[in-house]
Amino acid sequence: MGSYVLGFEEIDQTQVAIVGGKGAHLGELSRIEGIRVPAGFCVTTDAFRRIIAEAPSIRERLEQLSCLNPDDGEVIRTLSAEIRRIIEGITIPDDLAAAITLALAGLGEQAAYAVRSSATAEDSPTASFAGQQDTYLNVLGPATILQHISRCWASLFTERAVTYRLRNGFDHRKVHMAVVVQQMVFPEAAGVLFTADPFTSNRKVAAVEATFGLGEALVSGLVSADMYKVRDGEVVAKAVATKPLAIRASPAGGTQEEAIDPERQQQSALTDAQVVRLAQLGRRIEEHFGCPQDIEWCLVDDGFQIVQSRPITTLFPIPALDDHENHVYISVGHQQMMTDPMKPLGLSFWQMTTPRPMYEAGGRLFVDVVRDLGSPTSRARLLEMAGKSDPLIGDALQSILKRGDFIPSLLDESPRGAPAGSAPVPIETDPAIVTDLIGRNQESIAALKRDIRTKSGSALFDFILADIQELRRILFDRKSHAVFMSAMEATWWLNERLEAWLGEKNVADTLTQSVAHNITSEMGLALLGVADVIRPHPEVVAFLQSVDDDGFLDKLPALAGGGEARDAIRGFLDMYGMRCVGEIDMTRPRWSERPTTLVPVLLGNIKNFEPGAGERRFEQGRQEAWAKEQELLERLRILPGGEQKAEEVKRKIDRVRTFIGYREYPKYGMVSRYFVYKQALLGEAGRLVQAHVLREKEDIFYLRFAELHEVARTAHVDEQLIAQRKDAFRSYQALTPPRVLTSDGEVVAGAYRRDDLPTGALVGLPVSAGTIEGRARVILDMADADIEPGDILVTAYTDPSWTPLFVAIAGLVTEVGGLMTHGAVIAREYGLPAVVGVEHSTRLIRDGQRIRVNGTDGYVEILAGP
């Protein structure tokens, strides 16, 4: 039938560029044994390109569209309407019309057809484009079919399709449109089958939605669907909806609504046997395509016909452990305050650093705790820690345990991955212990910087591998672990005992303000110090307000006071320049590499604070902690046995204030080391670019460490692999990682089991006591922060790079976090009321609203609009 028309029998899933995603899937479906697909053909993208070539004015408008922002709604609406009008006005050339008419004659010109858009970017594993282009049902006669083909071509430029492409990074000029022409079927029932439960993501549960007549009634929202769930060949859940109408084919073409007889409206559209049979067909299709499918089906004469199948793009992937055993995965990112995807080099470094196996899915890392849950002793330890640090994870694990059939029972054993010799180490409360640990870490990093300079090629990779053992030795040192664990345990002890003895919640939060050796909170105060240096020099301040080039530091000495400003900023970067948002991913750009990131925060400090604010803030926190300590001890002494209670509390307070600041240091040391590795590897990448092995230095971020080592050794790289990894990383950015995931693919969501909250309150985990009201600033990117003193920061998560903002805010709300994660530690250090783990808070709270944060009881109230 030539290059303009291909029958389904000529098409397979490799031909997306020719027949679009929908056409390629239909052709492939028709090849699966036992799967019935209504006959049809595709008008190829060659035909579309020919039509576009008939109107050169379209190219200019496509160029304009490509420069727009997804939020430029009015311009998108105007330009896309113009393009559609032009396309629909082009007469289909005679030879193309003849090829289409010939294909229709082969199937039956008098039959009714569905005419369906099939874009080259749709129905891919990473973007479905569902509903973005047009479909026309029950189209009659060749002339009308040709007209609707033109409409499908034009629908590539509906406003919603153009906006979707802009949001997802697709180039309008590279996406083409094919058209599917397929014989209509006139079903008794129709609907959608998901081979994985769309609500829980469980891959072993199929979900069916069904209604009478054509499936358009569901797509358009005219009726509610009957819902069925199938597991292991059995309907395990069913909900039959009232269906007052159906959509049927109209004798004159198109479709029409038809009222359902009242006695049938609450009848099930499918029998249980039919649902099970449909689910079995779905499994066959899923096996053929190799991933869970979203399948459109029709029931005709008690037989199912499949009219579409596409990958389900919203499912979070499962770690690739194909051992057919049950696994329970906990998100590493939720513990590390970095739920964004990581690039392969960053993932591999994290996996090499940690002693416990970590499994990758969707660009994130997970640990498998199924054995911990199976062993009584380790189960109790895990549930206790999870319940304290992240109640949502703890509750999710409890819900899995309550099922009784998912976790294998095991004999007690030592928990895997615990720090070497993790039994409690007796430790005295001695500040010298912390200074010694920090000193040894600094000496080790200095030796690393000195020795790595002479290494290149394979010797560099061998050197880094050896040094990672040194990093692990420091990170999992028994004494280091004992220091911060003893501080955390003392914190919990103080909160529990003092609430019991004095009726006061979370008293340790005040006691941990302005402690020694907290490298992260010191960083926030240090940037206030940099602001003090710059503030007296208006020429420097004015220059910084227009900075957009990371080389700005070299231009500062030409300004009055610029030399001092440059030295102050460089001094800060020497100490903290290895930090950045998402710092556990070593591929992320560091402040030293992109110092412009700090400029908005620095300007905010210059504007909002007086000289000496850093020192005053630290001293104020220290005084508040001391006053709280004296108050508590006085109140305790008047209780029965009060002297003994006071002595015990005093010892715990001393321990907390001596050791809790060190909690932030091991990660600082690790990130410092990562930055040294990164600089060395980028130097090696530069040599590979000069040798024409790599296209650009940053390509190394899409290779794992061992793969990069092999590239350096062989001077050969798989460019296709790098391209695939880049595409995968882009797709992972659209996914939301779950806290807990099973090997069935089920996302297990925990809940806060509390009923003592004000009506409408958003619940979370209380991590820093106190109550504050203020303006909510909903910020997802620190570079966009426009914070004024008294604002309350609402964000997805915070890691150490957010600390400079903490000096200005009055409170904190995050979607992710735990008692000992970064945001909680720094909020307590600065005395900020904070609630973390407030799910969907960045969507439920609008920027500018007044809110009240109760950091003592763990909830947020929305008070008013902007």
Side-chain angles (χ1 to χ4, degrees):
M1 282 189 263
S3 62
Y4 293 136
V5 177
L6 293 174
F8 285 174
E9 69 280 0
E10 302 175 84
I11 298 168
D12 62 33
Q13 63 184 326
T14 66
Q15 293 170 278
V16 172
I18 301 170
V19 296
K22 190 179 281 99
H25 279 86
L26 281 167
E28 191 70 31
L29 276 169
S30 66
R31 295 166 177 263
I32 305 175
E33 185 177 352
I35 301 300
R36 296 171 60 195
V37 177
F41 60 88
C42 288
V43 181
T44 68
T45 55
D46 286 340
F48 173 78
R49 279 190 285 266
R50 180 171 171 187
I51 292 296
I52 294 296
E54 299 282 331
S57 62
I58 290 179
R59 292 195 199 95
E60 179 185 342
R61 289 170 172 83
L62 289 181
E63 291 286 346
Q64 293 174 317
L65 277 182
S66 298
C67 298
L68 295 178
N69 184 290
D71 299 322
D72 295 330
E74 190 60 43
V75 184
I76 291 171
R77 192 173 303 117
T78 301
L79 281 173
S80 58
E82 290 175 3
I83 294 172
R84 291 198 305 277
R85 204 161 39 244
I86 294 169
I87 292 174
E88 289 185 35
I90 297 172
T91 301
I92 297 178
D94 290 344
D95 60 329
L96 175 53
I100 296 169
T101 304
L102 181 62
L104 285 169
L107 295 176
E109 285 188 6
Q110 303 310 310
Y113 289 88
V115 182
R116 311 168 72 189
S117 304
S118 180
T120 54
E122 72 180 20
D123 293 352
S124 71
T126 58
S128 74
F129 283 76
Q132 299 302 315
Q133 286 91 35
D134 289 347
T135 287
Y136 301 96
L137 301 178
N138 197 33
V139 183
L140 305 174
T144 311
I145 289 171
L146 289 172
Q147 182 183 40
H148 284 81
I149 288 171
S150 289
R151 290 179 180 174
C152 283
W153 286 330
S155 75
L156 187 63
F157 300 101
T158 61
E159 181 184 350
R160 64 180 181 272
V162 169
T163 302
Y164 186 93
R165 289 196 294 273
L166 285 171
R167 291 195 187 283
N168 289 275
F170 289 91
D171 188 335
H172 306 295
R173 295 159 295 187
K174 295 181 180 178
V175 178
H176 304 296
M177 180 69 82
V179 180
V180 172
V181 180
Q182 187 174 24
Q183 282 187 341
M184 277 289 294
V185 292
F186 304 99
E188 298 110 54
V192 182
L193 161 66
F194 300 96
T195 63
D197 188 328
F199 299 103
T200 67
S201 299
N202 193 324
R203 271 56 161 194
K204 292 187 177 179
V205 175
V208 175
E209 297 180 1
T211 192
F212 295 125
L214 292 164
E216 280 298 295
L218 297 183
V219 174
S220 59
L222 289 175
V223 297
S224 298
D226 293 345
M227 307 285 291
Y228 313 84
K229 292 193 178 181
V230 181
R231 179 166 186 150
D232 298 330
E234 180 183 354
V235 176
V236 295
K238 175 166 64 174
V240 178
T242 300
K243 300 172 287 296
L245 56 85
I247 292 182
R248 309 275 189 193
S250 170
T255 59
Q256 62 186 22
E257 294 180 15
E258 178 184 286
I260 302 293
D261 293 337
E263 65 272 13
R264 287 193 65 216
Q265 289 181 8
Q266 293 184 342
Q267 289 182 6
S268 181
L270 297 176
T271 67
D272 283 8
Q274 288 172 329
V275 171
V276 169
R277 185 151 44 96
L278 177 61
Q280 290 169 342
L281 292 175
R283 292 297 177 210
R284 192 178 302 171
I285 294 169
E286 177 185 69
E287 183 178 4
H288 182 87
F289 285 109
C291 64
Q293 297 288 299
D294 167 358
I295 299 166
E296 297 173 24
W297 56 267
C298 294
L299 178 66
V300 183
D301 299 328
D302 196 37
F304 289 101
Q305 299 207 33
I306 306 301
V307 295
Q308 185 52 279
S309 184
R310 61 175 69 87
I312 304 176
T313 60
T314 56
L315 296 176
F316 197 86
I318 309 172
L321 265 181
D322 194 18
D323 57 7
H324 305 293
E325 294 183 5
N326 289 347
H327 299 278
V328 178
Y329 301 104
I330 291 180
S331 164
V332 173
H334 284 81
Q335 308 298 309
Q336 293 295 329
M337 295 293 90
M338 216 293 273
T339 54
D340 295 343
M342 297 169 66
K343 295 186 179 74
L345 189 63
L347 289 168
S348 64
F349 264 93
W350 192 253
Q351 288 170 308
M352 289 190 295
T353 300
T354 56
R356 181 160 187 157
M358 291 195 174
Y359 304 97
E360 180 187 344
R364 281 83 169 183
L365 291 173
F366 295 82
V367 293
D368 180 16
V369 296
V370 72
R371 295 185 66 84
D372 303 78
L373 292 171
S375 167
T377 301
S378 59
R379 179 194 310 140
R381 186 183 301 111
L382 173 61
L383 292 175
E384 180 185 15
M385 291 295 294
K388 286 180 177 178
S389 66
D390 190 330
L392 294 176
I393 290 179
D395 188 71
L397 296 178
Q398 290 278 16
S399 70
I400 295 171
L401 284 165
K402 287 174 184 174
R403 298 174 185 177
D405 60 353
F406 194 84
I407 306 297
S409 294
L410 302 170
L411 296 175
D412 273 342
E413 59 179 40
S414 297
R416 296 178 301 161
S422 60
V425 178
I427 190 166
E428 58 184 315
T429 303
D430 181 358
I433 295 174
V434 174
T435 54
D436 178 62
L437 287 169
I438 291 173
R440 282 192 281 156
N441 199 328
Q442 291 174 338
E443 289 172 7
S444 179
I445 292 171
L448 165 65
K449 290 179 177 178
R450 181 187 66 241
D451 296 342
I452 204 170
R453 292 176 190 150
T454 61
K455 304 298 188 292
S456 63
S458 286
L460 171 63
F461 292 87
D462 293 340
F463 176 83
I464 290 174
L465 274 177
D467 192 77
I468 284 175
Q469 300 309 309
E470 170 72 358
L471 168 58
R472 291 176 63 165
R473 184 191 66 76
I474 293 171
L475 268 182
F476 304 109
D477 176 79
R478 291 182 66 198
K479 182 174 282 190
S480 174
H481 184 252
V483 164
F484 60 75
M485 281 307 300
S486 67
M488 290 163 61
E489 288 162 1
T491 300
W492 298 331
W493 186 95
L494 284 167
N495 282 335
E496 291 167 4
R497 296 299 176 90
L498 291 173
E499 183 175 1
W501 291 340
L502 299 177
E504 189 171 344
K505 294 181 179 179
N506 303 329
V507 293
D509 294 353
T510 303
L511 298 170
T512 53
Q513 291 186 58
S514 298
V515 296
H517 303 301
N518 188 319
I519 189 70
T520 307
S521 63
E522 290 168 1
M523 175 176 67
L525 301 179
L527 201 60
L528 286 174
V530 176
D532 288 349
V533 174
I534 296 173
R535 191 180 292 107
H537 305 294
E539 196 175 341
V540 175
V541 175
F543 171 78
L544 292 177
Q545 288 169 341
S546 60
V547 158
D548 59 4
D549 176 5
D550 286 314
F552 73 93
L553 288 174
D554 294 331
K555 301 174 184 176
L556 281 172
L559 308 173
E564 298 139 84
R566 180 199 58 189
D567 293 345
I569 295 171
R570 282 187 174 165
F572 180 87
L573 292 175
D574 287 343
M575 187 70 180
Y576 304 107
M578 76 296 292
R579 312 217 86 152
C580 68
V581 174
E583 64 185 11
I584 68 169
D585 180 358
M586 61 128 37
T587 71
R588 291 283 193 106
R590 309 283 135 176
W591 288 343
S592 288
E593 298 169 312
R594 199 168 290 173
T596 49
T597 307
L598 291 171
V599 171
V601 184
L602 194 50
L603 289 170
N605 287 349
I606 292 168
K607 171 187 173 184
N608 296 320
F609 293 94
E610 295 295 323
E615 293 87 346
R616 284 195 302 275
R617 176 148 202 164
F618 185 85
E619 182 58 23
Q620 179 184 345
R622 194 185 67 79
Q623 291 287 347
E624 288 175 4
W626 182 85
K628 189 66 177 178
E629 176 182 334
Q630 300 312 303
E631 175 212 325
L632 292 169
L633 296 177
E634 287 176 18
R635 291 165 63 191
L636 286 169
R637 290 189 182 106
I638 63 175
L639 298 178
E643 284 297 334
Q644 183 178 347
K645 287 183 173 72
E647 288 177 12
E648 199 169 4
V649 166
K650 172 62 174 169
R651 286 196 297 273
K652 296 294 185 182
I653 291 173
D654 288 346
R655 171 152 296 202
V656 169
R657 290 197 59 79
T658 302
F659 287 158
I660 198 68
Y662 179 72
R663 174 72 179 84
E664 290 283 297
Y665 201 88
K667 187 174 184 181
Y668 170 81
M670 181 193 74
V671 172
S672 298
R673 235 176 174 88
Y674 275 6
F675 188 41
V676 178
Y677 300 155
K678 179 185 181 182
Q679 289 174 306
L681 290 173
L682 282 173
E684 188 67 20
R687 288 186 282 276
L688 291 170
V689 170
Q690 286 183 336
H692 306 292
V693 176
L694 294 175
R695 292 181 183 271
E696 53 189 20
K697 291 196 297 184
E698 288 73 18
D699 282 351
I700 67 170
F701 297 158
Y702 297 93
L703 297 170
R704 298 181 184 281
F705 181 80
E707 293 168 340
L708 180 54
H709 189 176
E710 187 68 7
V711 170
R713 188 184 68 80
T714 63
H716 174 75
V717 68
D718 184 343
E719 292 185 354
Q720 186 176 1
L721 175 65
I722 290 176
Q724 290 170 352
R725 296 260 178 89
K726 288 180 178 180
D727 287 343
F729 181 77
R730 279 190 288 269
S731 70
Y732 296 154
Q733 290 175 306
L735 298 175
T736 300
R739 282 177 165 84
V740 177
L741 178 72
T742 73
S743 46
D744 289 347
E746 180 183 4
V747 173
V748 186
Y752 294 104
R753 307 294 175 178
R754 293 159 56 189
D755 53 11
D756 56 342
L757 302 174
T759 303
L762 307 179
V763 63
L765 178 66
V767 295
S768 185
T771 300
I772 191 71
E773 293 183 14
R775 180 179 65 162
R777 296 314 313 264
V778 181
I779 297 171
L780 299 180
D781 184 342
M782 185 180 138
D784 298 330
D786 182 15
I787 294 285
E788 295 183 4
D791 286 345
I792 297 171
L793 174 62
V794 181
T795 190
Y797 63 83
T798 64
D799 62 9
S801 70
W802 288 74
T803 300
L805 294 182
F806 280 43
V807 299
I809 61 175
L812 174 70
V813 179
T814 68
E815 294 182 339
V816 175
L819 273 174
M820 295 309 299
T821 49
H822 160 76
V825 172
I826 304 305
R828 292 192 292 268
E829 169 92 8
Y830 286 173
L832 306 174
V835 183
V836 302
V838 184
E839 293 200 291
H840 312 302
S841 56
T842 59
R843 296 202 296 271
L844 296 172
I845 299 171
R846 294 197 309 274
D847 186 53
Q849 283 184 312
R850 284 195 65 78
I851 62 174
R852 180 185 299 124
V853 177
N854 188 318
T856 303
D857 294 315
Y859 61 86
V860 180
E861 295 173 278
I862 300 174
L863 302 178

